[in-house]
Amino acid sequence: LHRSNVMRISLVLLTYVVVAVVPNFSLLMAFVGGTCCTLLGFTLPAIFHLQIFQGTLSQSERLWDFTILVIGVIGSIVTTLDALKRMYVEDNVETSELFTEQLSTSGIQDSILK
């Protein structure tokens, strides 16, 4: 096997292990996307453009960069909070389902409902 094939197989296997081990992989990806992707896609490019061309930007170019920066920060906050909220709600749903299951197996739920 070539070195690149070994690396490719290793990455695929590592991805499989992460997906198999993490119970709610989609929630993890939503959190990573909310925090990292908006930072990489909106916030950092606008900051870098402002820094690199600091003395040569026109007023409209600076306004455009600040607009992108604000949209990126707001988007990052909203998507991160949404991902955290979904993680919290999902965790509470699992906890309440587990609690209900424990009650039903112990017979307590039947005595409460009567």
Side-chain angles (χ1 to χ4, degrees), residues 53-72:
F53 300 104
Q54 192 171 12
T56 61
L57 292 176
S58 68
Q59 190 72 12
S60 64
E61 290 172 326
R62 288 180 59 221
L63 180 64
W64 183 244
D65 280 336
F66 280 116
T67 303
I68 293 171
L69 184 63
V70 168
I71 290 171

Side-chain angles (χ1 to χ4, degrees), residues 3 10 12 23 28 71 73 91-92 96-98 106 108:
R3 189 175 182 185
S10 299
V12 170
L28 176 65
I71 290 171
V73 168
D91 186 42
N92 282 343
S96 66
E97 288 173 356
L98 179 64
S106 66
I108 297 174

Side-chain angles (χ1 to χ4, degrees), residues 26-80:
S26 63
L27 296 177
L28 176 65
M29 286 295 97
F31 179 73
V32 169
T35 55
C36 297
C37 292
T38 53
L39 181 71
L40 291 172
F42 291 97
T43 309
L44 289 179
I47 291 172
F48 292 157
H49 190 254
L50 285 168
Q51 288 295 316
I52 292 171
F53 300 104
Q54 192 171 12
T56 61
L57 292 176
S58 68
Q59 190 72 12
S60 64
E61 290 172 326
R62 288 180 59 221
L63 180 64
W64 183 244
D65 280 336
F66 280 116
T67 303
I68 293 171
L69 184 63
V70 168
I71 290 171
V73 168
I74 291 171
S76 180
I77 291 170
V78 168
T79 55
T80 300

